[in-house]
Structures are given as structure tokens and as C-alpha cells.
Amino acid sequence: MANEIEIRKDEWRGASFGDGGSEDVEVVAQAYADYILANVDGPHKVLVSHDGNCNSVEAAWGIARILFNNGITVDIVRHPGSAFAVSFYIREKGYSGGVVVDEDVREKRIRIRFRAPYGGPIDSEITRKLNYYMRMNKIRRKPVGGGEINEIVNIFPDYLRRLESLIDFGTVARLSGTVVLDLKGGVCTDESIKSFFRQVGVEVDFINDTSGVKVRRWETYGVGLTELVGEVRRRKAKLGVAIDPSGCFIGIVDEEGNIVDGEIISCLLYGYIAKVRMNPVDVVKTVSVSDLIRQVAKKFNRRVYEAPLVDQCVVEKMQESEAGFAFDDKGGIIVRDNVYDKDGIVSTLLVMEMMGYYNLRLSDMVQELFMKYGRYFFRRAEKKVPPDLVDRVVSKLRNTPPVSIGDLRVNSTLLLDGVKFYFDNQSWLLVKHSNYPGIVEICSGGQDEDVVCKLLDYGKRIFEEYEIVKFHIPVRNVFY
């Protein structure tokens, strides 16, 4: 085996092609075939999708061939498909499971994500079994018979038809003004998706709507939305939405060109779903967001659960608690009535439906939220550091937590994802691993902006004691 491989809780990050990557892909594919054959009732049929990048397509076909060699029928999507569309298709068509392959541009690696028959990320038990089979397996390079490889032209049309029962398009059409939709050159540049948005009854202008166009790194809170901010202001648009290249996350810009944080949008959407759609449900939030959602959910007598910022952990908590809504701080939203996957298209349409219903400017809706529940501020810093440094710092904070930071006394500590300290006035500090290897994230939040900034500075100084590091602090136009 060319590299040490492990299937993580949320995904497998393999080596890039040219560095033994194809062999690693075969190892993972064989483990998945072994799992399917030993644990899933036949007939065995798997859906394989990719993001359209050359390396992703090559890896997807490599996976399909190994599954076929093991007697498993494979439907491989010819055009790029997103994880949420794959999850929908798997659930609706009764597949044994699915695989989504995309290229992690930031890490320059191929990423392979597995999807379960219920339509969402695989659970902890499947992850454990896949890692076991990877240590035991022998790659089957000659077909045993019984399998097929079929090409599916496009899975998006079936997925889009499903949205007619999920979204109130009559209310969406009441949204007046232009919506600027930044597709980031990703999977949502598919012509069926663009055609769909042109028919929702709202004037939609697209940017970066050509597949493969090079865009700046994806962020819901900074430079990743700079172009969208400028276009919203130039076109005097009512709303700006960016959907990340994978189609899973959204970034929102209001009519004044201000970036509206993902947590604010999630709280607004939850209030709309609970009050207007009369569907109050329990909520799962990631550790890296504030307790603003608790204030909103409390109004509807619903509970809020926490989970690490890992798709699998969020979905498992939703299934365990029967929660119907989940979100993170990066613009990822899961609505149980759809699929157990973050879906940028559904999130975008729900925002448009909400604005069509209230007939208010988004900035006014944000201010109304603040008036009801108080204003929350948030800061984040991140830096690439040696992985062992993050481990040492987090371990030190876990084992010998500070009694106080400055004049703020630590009231409680949460160890669910990294280490999170709670202080007075609902302020907090979180130090954790990013989902990207070797990246440390430091987040602070609360209702006092000065305190939030001081807590972030303290978190940064912890690492600066070990070595000179310069943190990248994402730019925000709007704090909450």
C-alpha cells in the first residue's frame, strides 16, 4: 500500500494521483466491496458519483471497476453530482450504498465519501468495519462475474422534481428583486440546475456558472464572498447566495452587500419553519456556534443538541434525538424532510421562500432577530501548524484548564470537539482541530464584542507561546 489510509468519521482523504493515489483508491474500493458483500442483502447495487475534475473522474472509474470485479452492479454518473443528490437517489432507488468522489483543492487530494442506504453519511459502525476490511483485504483485479457497470447521464433532474413537494414555489415567486447566485464553478453549474432556478418565478443572475471556473477558496465569511458582495451592490440585488463547489454549503449576502453569517441564516430559517410552516422540531448544532439557536428554539419548546463538526456525528445525533434541523457555522444546513445531507440548493430555496413570505429586506430580518433574542458576536482565527502542536495544546487545556482568563472566570468546560470554555454573559472560547489536517481553529463568541475579541487573542497567544505563528483571521462585514 502506497500510503497509510484510514476512513475517518466524515470521509476518507486519500493521496493525490502521482503519489500512489490510484493504488490507495483500489484499497478503499475493495474494502467497500467486502463490506457490501458481507453486510448488505442482495442484489448489490452501488451508485458512484464525482465532481467532474479529471482526478475525481479517474478515481470514480477506478472504484467502479473494483466493485464490478467483485460482482457488484455499479451505476456511475456521467455528469458531476453532489453528495445530497446522491443521497436522495440512493434512498429513492434502493441502492446498497453510494460513493461520492471529489477533489480537495486546498489539500490537493482526492476525497472519497461513502453514503448509506438511508440517504446520508455512513455511521460509526460502517466506518469501523471499512477500516477493518482495509487491513484484511486483497484487491480483486479480475471480475468474478455477476456485476455490471452502467452510466447514468444525470441524477439532478429526478432530485429537482422531488423539490416540488418540499418547497412552496408560489411563495418563492413573491420575492421581488434580483437574486445573484454564485455557483463557484462547481456541481451546481449543471444546466438542469440553472434551468430550474430560471423557472422559480424570481429574476436570478448567475456568476461563476461555468463548470471548472477557478474561484478563490471557499469561505462563507470572508474572501470567498468578495466577488458576490461586489455583484450584489453593482446590480442592486435583493439577495446574494453563493453555493460552494460541492453544492453543500451556502454563503449569504444581504441587499446592502453585508455578509450574513451562516448561524444567523440558520436561526432565521428555523424560526420560519417552526412558525410559518408550523413544523417546530428539535435542533442539532455544532460545537463551534453560539447558543443563539437555543433562544429561538426555546420559544417553540424544542430542544437543542450539540455535535462535533463532522457530518457523521451530526447525522447520528439527529437520528438518535429525532431532531429535524441541523446546521454548522460554515453554511451547512440539514433538513430531515429532505435527506441527511447538507444541501445548498434546498437551503437557497428556503431562504428565498422565507424572504418571499415576509416581504422584508434581509437586513431588517436580521435586526428583528437581534431585537428579539439579543445580538451575538463571533470571531474566528485559523492557522496551519504541526498536527502534534494542536494535540499538545488541546491536551494541555483539557488536562489543566484555566480557572480564569483575564477577569473572566471559567464557568464550565465542554470536551465534545476540542475544548470549549464557557464564561459569564454567554461568552465562550473554543480551540479545536479543523476538519483539514494540520489546521487549528480558534473561535470565540458572546454578547459583548470586546470580550469576544479578547478571548480570541488569548486563544491565539496559547499557540504563540510554542512558536511564532501568524493567524489568518477571516474578514466579516457583519458580526452577530
Side-chain angles (χ1 to χ4, degrees), residues 5 23 33 52 84-85 96 153 173 196 232 281 308 316 349 378 387 389 429:
I5 321 170
E23 182 183 344
F84 58 82
S96 306
V153 175
F196 178 85
V232 167
V281 292
E316 287 183 345
L349 290 169
F378 179 91
L389 176 59
L429 172 67

Side-chain angles (χ1 to χ4, degrees), residues 287 308 394 397-398 413-420 430-433:
V287 175
V394 171
L397 291 173
R398 283 171 174 257
T413 304
L414 180 67
L415 305 180
L416 188 60
D417 189 8
V419 56
K420 185 175 183 179
L430 172 67
V431 179
K432 67 182 285 291
H433 278 282

Side-chain angles (χ1 to χ4, degrees), residues 29 46 165 186 211 222-223 248 253 269 295 363 373 418 429 439 464 469:
V46 172
S165 63
S211 178
V223 295
C248 298
V253 176
L269 281 180
Q295 305 300 319
S363 60
Y373 304 106
L429 172 67
I439 300 287
E464 290 165 355
V469 294

